[in-house]
C-alpha cells in the first residue's frame, strides 16, 4: 500500500498558514547528481501547506532552476564565515525551525552551527559509506559537534559508520552517536520512470548504434569511487564474446571523464563506447539501455539504480559488503564482486543471452519491490514525520473541522 501525504496531514497538521515551521535545506551544490536530484524530488512531493521550505547552496547549478520552479526559494551562500553571505548569517536572518543538510561540506558547516544555534534541530543526510572516505574525513566525523539526527540512505551506510566512526569512540560518545542514526531509504517517482519514452530510436541513430545492438548504460558522476575503468574492462571482454554487437554509453560528467576517454581510445574501443555528458531527460536514455552497469567500489543507495529499475532495466552491480540491499542475485538482477571484471563480463553475457524474457522476469519483481519500499511519497512522509518529532509540534487533532488547509 502506498503512503500518501494527505494521510500524514490528517495526523500532523500545523495550525495556521503564518505559523508553518520553516525547513532550510543546505546542500553543497546544485549540479546534476544523485543527492541534488533527490532533494528536488523530495521538494516536489512535500506538503507545502504544512511546512515552508527554502534551499541554501554553496555552488549554483541547473537543479536550482528546477527547485525554483516549484516555488521554493534557492539562495547561494558562502562557506567563508566572515562574509556577509555566510551560511550562519543567512540562518540568523531566515530563522529556520529545522536545518536539513545533504553532502559532506554542507553537513560539516551545518554541524558547526550547533554552537551558535543550539535550539535549531539539525538533520544530516548520509549518502555514502565511510569505508571509502579516508582517514582525515572520518577523523572529523568523530570529533565534530553532533546533529540531532543522522539520516542514512541505507543500512549499509549505517554499518559503515559503526565500523569507521562509532567503533573509535568512548562508550558514552558511541551511544550518543548511535542514538542519532536513522535509516530513511531514498524514494523515487516510480510512475514517472515507468512511462514509455519514444526517444530511444533517434538516440541510437545519433550515436551510430545499430538497432539490434545490446546497449549497456552507466549513469552517474565520473569520480574514482565509481570505478568506471573496471566497467570499461568488463565491457571489453563482453564485447569480444558477442562479436562486437554491444555498445557502452556513459551519461554524466566529472573529473574522471578525460582520463576515461583516453583509456577507451588506448584500448581501441572508441567506436563502441560513448560519452554523452550530462542529460536532463533521462527517460529516453533508460529506454535505449538493455542493461545498467554499476561498478562502484561503494554506494549508499544509487538513484540511478532506482531509476533504471523503475524503467524496467535489468541491473548488473557490484556488491556492497556481503551482498546488496536492493538486488538479490539472479532474482531481480545480477551481483558481482568489486573489481572482478571477468565476473562482471559474464553477468552482462547472461543478460544478453536471456533476452527480453529475462528482462521481463526481473522487471516484474522490481516494480513490486519499488512500490513497497521506494515510493517517493512514503519517503517524503518519513522525513516530514522526522521534522515533526524534532520540533515536538505534533498536535492531536480529533475532528476534520480543526484542520487548516
Amino acid at each position: 500500500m502506498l503512503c500518501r501525504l494527505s494521510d500524514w496531514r490528517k495526523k500532523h497538521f500545523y495550525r495556521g498558514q503564518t505559523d508553518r515551521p520553516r525547513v532550510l535545506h543546505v546542500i553543497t551544490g546544485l549540479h546534476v547528481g544523485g543527492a541534488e536530484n533527490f532533494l528536488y524530488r523530495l521538494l516536489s512531493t512535500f506538503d507545502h501547506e504544512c511546512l515552508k521550505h527554502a534551499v541554501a547552496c554553496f555552488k549554483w547549478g541547473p537543479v536550482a532552476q528546477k527547485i525554483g520552479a516549484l516555488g521554493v526559494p534557492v539562495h547561494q551562500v558562502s562557506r567563508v564565515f566572515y562574509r556577509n553571505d555566510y551560511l550562519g548569517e543567512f540562518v540568523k536572518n531566515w530563522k529556520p525551525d529545522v536545518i536539513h543538510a545533504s553532502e559532506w561540506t554542507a553537513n560539516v558547516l551545518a554541524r558547526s552551527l550547533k554552537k551558535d544555534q543550539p535550539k535549531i534541530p539539525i538533520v544530516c543526510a548520509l549518502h555514502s559509506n565511510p569505508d571509502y572516505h579516508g582517514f582525515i574525513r572520518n577523523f572529523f566525523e568523530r570529533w565534530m559537534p553532533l546533529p540531532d539526527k543522522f539520516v542514512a540512505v541505507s543500512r549499509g551506510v549505517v554499518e559503515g559508520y559503526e565500523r569507521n566512526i562509532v567503533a573509535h569512540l568512548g562508550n558514552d560518545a558511541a551511544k550518543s552517536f548511535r542514538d542519532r542514526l536513522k535509516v530513511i531509504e531514498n524514494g523515487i517517482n516510480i510512475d514517472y520512470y515507468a512511462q514509455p519514452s519514444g526517444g530511444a530510436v533517434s538516440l541510437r541513430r545519433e550515436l551510430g548504434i545499430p538497432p539490434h545492438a545490446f546497449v549497456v548504460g552507466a549513469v552517474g558522476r565520473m569520480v574514482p569511487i565509481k570505478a568506471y575503468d573496471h566497467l570499461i574492462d568488463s565491457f571489453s571482454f563482453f564485447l569480444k564474446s558477442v562479436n562486437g554487437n554491444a555498445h557502452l554509453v556513459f551519461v554524466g560528467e566529472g573529473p574522471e571523464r578525460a582520463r576515461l576517454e583516453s583509456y577507451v581510445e588506448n584500448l581501441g574501443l572508441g567506436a563502441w563506447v560513448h560519452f554523452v555528458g550530462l542529460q536532463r531527460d533521462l527517460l529516453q536514455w533508460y529506454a535505449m539501455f538493455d542493461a545498467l552497469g554499476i561498478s562502484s567500489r561503494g554506494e549508499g543507495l544509487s538513484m540511478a539504480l532506482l531509476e533504471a529499475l523503475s524503467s524496467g532495466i535489468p541491473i548488473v552491480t557490484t556488491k556492497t559488503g556481503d551482498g546488496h540491499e536492493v538486488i538479490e542475485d539472479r532474482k531481480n538482477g545480477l551481483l558481482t564482486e568489486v573489481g572482478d571484471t571477468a565476473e562482471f563480463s559474464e553477468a552482462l553475457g547472461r543478460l544478453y543471452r536471456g533476452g527480453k524474457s529475462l528482462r521481463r522476469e526481473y522487471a516484474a519483481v522490481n516494480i513490486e519491490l519499488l512500490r513497497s519500499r521506494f515510493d517517493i511519497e512514503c519517503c517524503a512522509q518519513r522525513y516530514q514525520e522526522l521534522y515533526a518529532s524534532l520540533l515536538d509540534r505534533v498536535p492531536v487533532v480529533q475532528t476534520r473541522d480543526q484542520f487548516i488547509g
Side-chain angles (χ1 to χ4, degrees):
M1 181 181 294
L2 293 183
C3 304
R4 294 297 174 190
L5 292 184
S6 58
D7 298 334
W8 184 85
R9 290 183 65 198
K10 291 174 184 177
K11 296 179 181 177
H12 312 306
F13 205 93
Y14 298 100
R15 301 167 186 270
Q17 294 295 322
T18 59
D19 193 36
R20 284 180 300 163
R22 295 180 166 209
V23 180
L24 178 64
H25 301 268
V26 183
I27 189 166
T28 303
L30 286 171
H31 294 283
V32 177
E36 297 85 348
N37 284 325
F38 177 65
L39 175 59
Y40 168 73
R41 292 186 185 115
L42 266 186
L43 292 169
S44 301
T45 312
F46 279 145
D47 190 333
H48 292 269
E49 293 183 37
C50 297
L51 300 165
K52 184 174 183 179
H53 297 271
V55 175
C57 68
F58 306 116
K59 298 177 183 177
W60 203 258
V63 179
Q65 294 179 324
K66 294 172 63 177
I67 292 174
L70 300 173
V72 176
V74 182
H75 307 270
Q76 187 170 7
V77 297
S78 174
R79 290 175 278 193
V80 182
F81 72 91
Y82 56 80
R83 288 181 46 164
N84 292 334
D85 59 350
Y86 171 56
L87 172 64
E89 291 300 314
F90 179 80
V91 167
K92 289 178 184 177
N93 293 328
W94 200 70
K95 296 179 174 60
D97 296 288
V98 176
I99 295 174
H100 182 173
S102 298
E103 298 187 319
W104 166 243
T105 302
N107 283 353
V108 169
L109 290 172
R111 289 167 69 174
S112 72
L113 297 176
K114 204 61 182 169
K115 180 178 179 181
D116 293 331
Q117 303 286 349
K119 293 184 179 180
I120 300 178
I122 294 176
V123 177
C124 287
L126 307 177
H127 293 276
S128 58
N129 193 323
D131 287 346
Y132 307 96
H133 290 172
F135 173 80
I136 294 176
R137 178 168 166 177
N138 287 339
F139 178 83
F140 274 103
E141 285 279 10
R142 295 167 199 155
W143 301 110
M144 287 172 54
L146 294 179
D148 295 85
K149 275 294 177 184
F150 288 109
V151 176
V153 299
S154 70
R155 175 53 54 185
V157 170
V158 171
E159 292 170 355
Y161 271 82
E162 289 276 358
R163 285 191 298 271
N164 294 278
I165 312 299
V166 177
H168 297 272
L169 301 175
N171 291 339
D172 291 343
K175 183 179 186 306
S176 182
F177 198 108
R178 190 178 288 116
D179 288 346
R180 287 167 165 80
L181 283 168
K182 178 182 179 66
V183 176
I184 300 180
E185 293 177 316
N186 287 340
I188 191 169
N189 186 334
I190 301 162
D191 293 331
Y192 173 79
Y193 285 96
Q195 65 182 309
S197 175
V201 174
S202 62
L203 286 179
R204 282 178 177 256
R205 189 182 306 118
E206 289 172 16
L207 295 174
I209 299 176
H212 301 296
F214 188 89
V215 179
V216 180
V219 178
R221 292 191 68 228
M222 294 184 177
V223 291
I225 198 170
K226 298 291 186 180
Y228 281 145
D229 48 350
H230 292 161
L231 178 56
I232 292 168
D233 289 340
S234 301
F235 175 77
S236 177
F237 294 132
F238 168 63
L239 184 66
K240 293 175 183 176
S241 72
V242 296
N243 299 316
N245 189 36
H247 286 251
L248 174 60
V249 178
F250 285 100
V251 179
E253 285 287 355
E256 287 275 281
R257 177 170 176 172
R259 185 186 71 82
L260 292 171
E261 287 179 320
S262 177
Y263 187 59
V264 165
E265 291 302 320
N266 290 338
L267 291 175
L269 297 175
W272 293 274
V273 181
H274 313 267
F275 295 83
V276 300
L278 292 175
Q279 300 293 327
R280 294 189 180 185
D281 180 13
L282 288 175
L283 277 180
Q284 57 184 343
W285 293 95
Y286 285 126
M288 185 180 71
F289 298 160
D290 295 294
L292 185 80
I294 299 176
S295 52
S296 296
R297 291 194 293 270
E299 287 274 0
L301 179 55
S302 167
M303 292 305 301
L305 181 144
L306 297 182
E307 291 165 356
L309 294 182
S310 298
S311 301
I313 309 301
I315 308 291
V316 177
T317 182
T318 47
K319 295 178 180 178
T320 54
D322 295 331
H324 199 278
E325 293 191 51
V326 180
I327 300 300
E328 186 175 340
D329 192 35
R330 302 196 182 193
K331 179 179 179 181
N332 65 331
L334 297 172
L335 294 180
T336 71
E337 297 293 339
V338 174
D340 191 331
T341 54
E343 187 180 22
F344 204 105
S345 173
E346 174 54 32
L348 291 174
R350 181 177 177 82
L351 288 180
Y352 180 86
R353 295 187 298 271
K356 292 183 179 179
S357 62
L358 184 59
R359 177 170 171 167
R360 285 194 295 267
E361 177 185 331
Y362 288 168
V365 176
N366 285 324
I367 200 67
E368 183 177 346
L369 173 68
L370 289 165
R371 294 198 183 282
S372 65
R373 281 179 57 187
F374 300 107
D375 178 71
I376 187 61
E377 292 200 349
C378 291
C379 178
Q381 177 174 303
R382 292 177 189 125
Y383 273 106
Q384 291 190 137
E385 289 174 344
L386 173 61
Y387 302 153
S389 69
L390 292 172
L391 289 165
D392 195 25
R393 294 184 59 185
V394 184
V396 178
V397 180
Q398 299 299 327
T399 68
R400 189 172 179 81
D401 294 339
Q402 292 175 288
F403 295 160
I404 307 294

